[in-house]
Each structure stands twice: as C-alpha cells, then as structure tokens.
Amino acid sequence: MTREIANWISGEHRVGGGGWADKFDPHDGTLQTRFALSIAADVDEAVAAAKAAYPVWAATPAVQRGNVLRHFADMLRAHATELRDLVAGETGKSLRDATGEVGGGIAQADYFAGEGMRLHGRSLPSGVANKHSHTVRMPHGVAGLIVPANTPFANIAWKLFPALICGNGVVLKASEDAPALALRVAELAAKADLPAGLLNVIQGRGDPAGQALVEHRDVALISFTGSTPVGRWIAEAAGRRLARVSLELGGKNPFIVCDDADLDAAIHWAAMSAFSNAGQRCAAGSRIFVMSAVFDAFVEGLVERADALKLGVGDDCDLGPVITRRSQQSILAAITRAEEQGGRVLCGGGAPTDPALATGYYVQPTVIIDLPFDSDLCRHEIFGPVVTVQRIESLEQALELANGGDYGLTAAIHTRNVDRALWFAYRVRAGLANVNFGTYGSEPHMPFGGFGQSGNGTREPGAEAIDVYSELKNVSFLMREHLV
Ligand code: NAD
C-alpha cells in the first residue's frame, strides 16, 4: 500500500481535512507517497498548538534553547543516511548531492545552536543622567515557515533553526513536492525532546494550506522561500494585517565572462551554475554574457561540456530530473517560445531520448544563443537546466544588462583583472557577487538574499537571520541615587 504522509501537530500524526494527493517519483514517474491535503481547520489546529507551546520555550534561557537544538542536531546527524535517502528519493537527486545537502542543513543546526550563547542586543548610552539602556530580543510568537522542494532539507534548516533559537513556535508548511522529509524532521525533533507543539508540520497545497497560514491572525511572522509571484501575494496578504514577512524569492542570475578570463575555469563554473540540481536553484547562473573576443571559444566549450553531462540519479550522474511533470512541460514550452523569439538551441532542447529516463521528468541541459536581450527567457526565471549565452562588447554593457533585469539575487564574473572584478562586484545589484567561481556559495554564517524582485530585503541565514526571527525591545532603567 502507498505510504500516507500526514500532518504533525502537537507531537502527533494528524490526518488532514482535505483527503490525500499523490506524490510521484521524479526519476520514473511512479507513485511514491500520498500526502495530506490540509485545509484551514488543520492550519488552525497547528497554529493553536504552536501558540500554546511557545511561551514556555520563549521563557527558557536562550543558552538552554541552544542545548536543545544541539541535541536536535545530533539526532539529525544520527539519521543523516535516512534523511539523505528521503531528499534523494523525493527530489530525484543523486545520493552524493543529497549527502551534501543534509550535511549543510545540519551545519545550520550547529550554527544556530551556538547562537543561543550570542543572542545579544546592544547597550546604549543615554542622554539622561543615571539612565541605562539596552536592547533585548523577543520572539515574534508563532512563525509560519513556507518552503519549496528544490533543496528541501536546506530550505527547512535555513528557517527552522533560527526561528527556534529566537524562541518562536513554528508551523512549517511543507512543500507538496517533499512531504515525507518535512514530516521526518518533525518526528526527529520530538525524538530529540523538542517540546510537543513547538514544531508542527502542515502538508498540502499553497491554496488552501499555505494561504490559510499566511492569513492566520495568530501567525506573527511569515518566512517564505519560493517564487516571486507567490511572494508578492504573501507580501500583500500579510501586509494587510501587518504581519512580519521575510521573502526569499527567485533569480535570473548573470554570469559574466571577460576576454581575459581563465576560459576552462569559466566554462566549468558556468556549467555548474546553470545545470547543477537540474537548474532548480534560485541562484542558478541562467544568463551568461561573454565578451566578443572569447565568445566562440566559450560557447564551443560550454556546449561540449553540456553534451557530456550525464542525466540520472546515480552518483556518477551530473543532473537529475526536475521536480514534477508540470515543471518539465513548462520548461520545454519556454524553450519552444525562445526558438520562436529567435533563439538558436545549440544543445539539448528537449527531454532525453534514453528509454531508461523516458518516464521521468528529465530535461536535457540546454544552451541557447542569438536571443534578443529582452526576450522572455532572458528576463524570466524558468527553474530548469536551460541557459542563454549572449555576446557583449564591454564590462559596462555587462553591468547594464546584469542590472537591467527585475531580480537581484546572485552574480558572478570571470576575469584575471582585479580592478575589473572589484568594479563589477561593487556595482552589480545582487545580494551575492562572486569572482572566478559560480553563482553559488552560501554558508551557514553568511547572509543570503536579494535585491529587487528576489526578496524583500531580509537576509537569511547567518547572524542576520536573527533579525528576521526576533523583535527588538529597548529596555531602560533609572538608577535612583537617593536610594543607594
Ligand atoms: P512556489 O512559490 O510555487 O511554492 C513554494 C511554497 O509555497 C510551496 O510550499 C507552496 O505550496 C507554497 N505556496 C504556493 N502558493 C502559495 C500561496 N498562495 N500562499 C502560501 N503558500 C503558497 O515555488 P516552487 O516552484 O515550489 O519553488 C521554486 C521557487 O523558489 C523559484 O522561484 C526559486 O527561485 C525560489 N527559491 C528561492 C530561494 C531563495 O533563497 N531566494 C531558494 C530556493 C528557491
């Protein structure tokens, strides 16, 4: 019988009110699990559980909260193989890639457990004699966390651990594309003695489960990672009741190759940036600008590299399938549209012909040239292994194009000239600018987030995430000299 993935509320499995939906294996299209379709009443229950649980947790000294998180981190480490298998199975990643992701997520838990000892405010001199002031951090209360499935364990870890260390109760809206992983994380939290009700998991679709969470009056903070259109709706809906919001959204990340670049390295990093995780990265380097003098050599090298990439889920494979049939079809439609708008597909361009992959949701790594700068594919994120390469005449033009789009998440430049590198890195409108590697590289202690339509200005994780998951309070007291 197909396994059913339930909600997790107050430390127990709960069936959702909307029945079940099927979740398919991206690698071969077979039925994998069935997940609960939650409705507003389920969200109510989960929020009530978090609301009841968080005051005791908030009153627990942050250092002790850190100790509980450390225990939770150890529990995740002890189950790392099981978590890896869930990540790989639900997303169609190789075990190698899933191992890296689980390790990175556990590093987040370690980092934020340590933040329990550093949850500091500031002490400020007062203009009033004998008055002393300092800031303290307060939890928001109930935090609603909404995540996608592209890196399902990392996405949960980025939000869950800072939310908990700051003293919040959590309702996690799992991605419908990785339901079993989210449930398992909550079960392991309970096993690690996280108090019941502090972490609740709601399965189901964005509409109605995610929407009910966003609109719930008892949810003080919504932290969302996902697409820009949904993020925009969340900003509006949460804004109406002035709930706090953190939005980590999409990207259309520029990758610049100068005429003095180490071309082999640039080709290697361009392929990694565009095609790893089947291009399903907010940080994917999906538009490449190359200076004229090296354009032909770069394109030839990139196409050769893309053609050599191996599709599949084995550890010797370079990229797996995309997450759903719908996603595959929308990527293929975007390629067709690009051809209609003048694009020339140099490699890939469709689903693979290998019969072993025919029932999965695969898209061949695709390189497209000759597209106008303002074509759809050059402007909009498609979240798949498709990259455009365009010729540029100067670094000024590269910067203008890089900054001309709506998004501003990451950027990379390849050059041997430190002046060019710095000139670009300091001017590009992006939350992350990398020199001589890929559009990659977030680490647990580094802030990540974007300009423009890539977010609303918050940064997670790192010490900056603490600002997302806590409110500041200024406390002052007056020393009364006459009572000394
Ligand atoms: P999505 O926006 O469709 O869904 C993300 C989550 O939001 C899912 O859990 C979904 O059920 C939920 N959701 C959908 N509609 C909702 C609504 N109206 N109200 C509340 N919740 C709703 O995104 P996706 O296709 O699953 O993920 C891909 C997107 O995520 C890409 O745009 C990618 O760039 C972005 N992403 C951003 C980052 C970042 O850090 N900036 C990281 C990873 C992914």
Side-chain angles (χ1 to χ4, degrees), residues 145-151 155 158-159 173-177 204-214 222 224-231 233-234 247-253 280-284 323 327 381 383 407 409 448-450 454-455 460:
L145 314 181
I146 305 178
V147 291
N150 62 327
T151 47
N155 294 343
W158 275 38
K159 297 187 182 306
K173 156 67 181 73
S175 167
E176 53 270 59
D177 300 322
R205 308 254 185 239
D207 177 10
Q211 288 194 15
L213 189 61
V214 171
I222 294 291
F224 171 78
T225 298
S227 61
T228 295
V230 174
W233 177 81
I234 288 176
L247 303 173
E248 302 292 342
L249 309 177
K252 189 77 196 170
N253 307 287
Q280 299 167 111
R281 295 191 311 119
C282 53
I323 195 75
S327 178
E381 179 189 50
F383 223 54
Y407 299 99
L409 195 54
F448 185 85
S454 292
E460 304 178 40

Side-chain angles (χ1 to χ4, degrees), residues 91-112:
T91 62
K93 270 178 219 207
S94 66
L95 292 179
R96 186 196 58 208
D97 288 356
T99 301
E101 182 183 328
V102 169
I106 294 172
Q108 294 280 355
D110 290 334
Y111 174 80
F112 283 105

Side-chain angles (χ1 to χ4, degrees), residues 435-461:
V435 178
N436 290 334
F437 66 111
T439 51
Y440 274 87
S442 59
E443 296 181 36
H445 55 300
M446 294 180 187
F448 185 85
F451 290 41
Q453 304 284 303
S454 292
N456 67 337
T458 58
R459 294 291 183 268
E460 304 178 40

Side-chain angles (χ1 to χ4, degrees), residues 43-44 47 51 142 211-221 241 243:
V43 173
D44 280 347
V47 172
K51 191 178 173 187
V142 179
Q211 288 194 15
L213 189 61
V214 171
E215 290 176 328
H216 202 294
R217 57 192 295 225
D218 289 336
V219 177
L221 164 74
R241 58 184 187 86

